[in-house]
Amino acid sequence: MPRPILATIHTAALSHNLARVRAAAPDARVWAVVKANAYGHGIERVFEGLRSADGFALLDLDEAQRLRALDWRGPILLLEGCFEARDLELCSRLGLWHVIHCNEQIDMLAAHKTERPQRVFLKMNSGMNRLGFAPERYRAAWTRLNALPQVQEISLMTHFSDADGPKGVTAQLQRFDAVTHDLPGERTLSNSAATLRHGAALAARSDWIRPGIAVYGSAPDFPAHSAADWGLQPTMTLASRIIGVQQLVAGDTVGYGSSFSADGPMRIGVVACGYADGYPRHCSTGTPVLVGGVRTRMVGRVSMDMITVDLTALPDAAMGAAVTLWGQSPDGALLPIDEVAQAGDTVGYELMCAVAQRVPFAVV
Ligand SMILES: Cc1ncc(COP(=O)(O)O)c(C=O)c1O
């Protein structure tokens, strides 16, 4: 029998969340962001739930090819554009739209021989200082692109660094508007946090929105808001079972480094899930976990293949009891991935992306 760990992808929740972000930007078209193999969910596994998206945004050409193999004929946007000249061949062949964030990419495009002019998204670095042209260089880049026979249409793009926090989007938006106000072309600015928190302010520049994490049912601004606050549903459940039970007395310790010791009599359940499955090793005593749908806590250190949980208040939880590491328990109780991520000093994004290859997946 295989280890009892399983990751389940919830198709209806993906569709629900997509509709939820659409409602926050009703006049926009929606790129469902499926980079990093759909935030760890698997492109093929999420496709059905997200097929009502207007387009898919991602980074890797092989992921774009996988979408085309699923017979997706609509728009696909390469969020970081092309990495080398021959990528442009594939853009032509697969009809991919791509971001232009630097002069080297314009040079590659200018040298590209194609019958088919391409649609590009010109990215401004409006303050995040990752990818994009500085505001004072943006118009020159636009003019250069506009003169190329290889370019069919130029859309305008930037990305916010602080849409999820108190700094917000105002300063970056002002920089973007100051440079682009009279340029033609569609605009795409908003990730999940910008869509949910600043939708009204951004509506006029939201021909396309680019939500990722909200589509996967995690709050972009946790703990200020929870996924439930935003009306989002978990799209991934990581579940396992109790594979061992220990009875402790006061002073007994649990796991490597004896980091947890019992104050009194305790029952401990051993769960088939560890950091080699993608469970965050930084989680420590107190991290929430559901056993039989009831919330309890992890105790001690996460080891490679197992964690240990407190069953003292759950006398009926025995060998084989269902454990929910995050997501939805079989009886419908919820454990938000954001709470587990917070206990591991990380974010829901990382947990989703880190589910290990050895974990089997199911789609419901
Ligand atoms: C350019 C770009 N757009 C959109 C997104 C989606 O962001 P989120 O998952 O926070 O909605 C990302 C993700 O990092 C991104 O890099």
Side-chain angles (χ1 to χ4, degrees):
M1 185 177 147
R3 287 172 78 230
I5 192 163
L6 181 69
T8 302
I9 304 304
H10 305 283
T11 303
L14 287 160
S15 302
H16 167 91
N17 296 339
L18 186 62
R20 174 67 192 87
V21 288
R22 219 183 249 295
D27 298 325
R29 275 161 292 158
V30 183
W31 299 109
V33 179
V34 292
K35 65 192 170 106
N37 200 21
Y39 288 45
H41 289 58
I43 295 216
E44 289 78 8
R45 295 185 201 108
V46 299
F47 183 64
E48 194 53 42
L50 300 181
R51 69 184 314 151
S52 65
D54 301 291
F56 290 95
L58 43 70
L59 308 184
D60 292 304
L61 284 162
D62 81 298
E63 292 185 344
Q65 281 180 296
R66 282 160 60 192
L67 273 171
R68 290 290 186 236
L70 290 164
D71 212 22
W72 172 255
R73 306 213 173 153
I76 297 178
L77 176 64
L78 298 178
L79 285 168
E80 294 182 355
C82 293
F83 300 101
E84 54 180 335
R86 67 179 173 174
D87 297 350
L88 287 164
E89 304 292 336
L90 212 58
C91 289
S92 297
R93 190 141 45 84
L94 299 178
L96 309 180
W97 303 356
H98 53 103
V99 166
I100 298 280
H101 64 75
C102 61
N103 276 315
E104 290 76 3
Q105 288 177 325
I106 304 184
D107 296 340
M108 285 195 276
L109 195 53
H112 178 56
K113 295 189 179 19
T114 180
E115 306 281 292
R116 212 167 144 188
Q118 302 191 353
R119 177 152 180 191
V120 296
F121 283 66
L122 182 60
K123 185 164 186 178
M124 182 189 294
N125 167 18
S126 58
M128 185 149 184
N129 288 313
R130 234 170 38 172
L131 298 180
F133 290 88
E136 59 277 15
R137 306 229 156 82
Y138 192 79
R139 289 184 78 101
W142 189 91
T143 304
R144 223 187 131 200
L145 277 178
N146 196 41
L148 292 184
Q150 291 88 344
V151 173
Q152 176 205 38
E153 187 177 338
I154 309 172
S155 301
L156 316 181
M157 173 179 180
T158 196
H159 190 54
F160 296 120
S161 57
D162 288 84
D164 57 331
K167 196 169 158 194
V169 299
T170 312
Q172 282 187 258
L173 189 54
Q174 278 168 359
R175 277 180 219 130
F176 181 82
D177 282 350
V179 174
T180 60
H181 65 279
D182 59 346
L183 288 179
E186 293 189 335
R187 270 93 170 132
T188 176
L189 280 65
S190 301
N191 60 0
S192 299
T195 302
L196 294 173
R197 290 171 64 101
H198 306 284
L202 294 170
R205 299 88 159 175
S206 290
D207 296 297
W208 292 87
I209 57 170
R210 309 186 306 270
I213 196 70
V215 167
Y216 303 103
S218 170
D221 58 352
F222 186 83
H225 293 96
S226 67
D229 291 340
W230 289 123
L232 302 170
Q233 298 175 358
T235 58
M236 178 194 282
T237 292
L238 184 64
S240 188
R241 292 192 181 277
I242 301 284
I243 58 164
V245 177
Q246 300 293 342
Q247 198 71 48
L248 308 190
V249 296
D252 282 347
T253 62
V254 181
Y256 287 119
S258 301
S259 70
F260 177 82
S261 65
D263 288 339
M266 276 188 87
R267 263 180 95 234
I268 296 292
V270 182
V271 181
C273 176
Y275 62 77
D277 299 299
Y279 194 84
R281 189 179 172 279
H282 277 98
C283 284
S284 56
T285 296
T287 302
V289 58
L290 303 180
V291 178
V294 180
R295 188 178 273 247
T296 180
R297 59 178 179 147
M298 205 192 78
V299 294
R301 281 199 197 148
V302 176
S303 49
M304 185 183 283
D305 311 307
M306 286 171 268
I307 59 169
T308 34
V309 299
D310 187 353
L311 300 181
T312 313
L314 302 169
D316 296 334
M319 289 287 285
V323 177
T324 306
L325 288 319
W326 59 73
Q328 198 173 327
S329 78
D331 55 0
L334 293 184
L335 177 54
I337 194 168
D338 296 321
E339 287 187 39
V340 182
Q342 187 183 43
D345 198 21
T346 183
V347 286
Y349 297 76
E350 189 179 6
L351 267 54
M352 295 172 183
C353 291
V355 174
Q357 276 222 301
R358 75 174 185 179
V359 175
F361 275 81
V363 179
V364 294

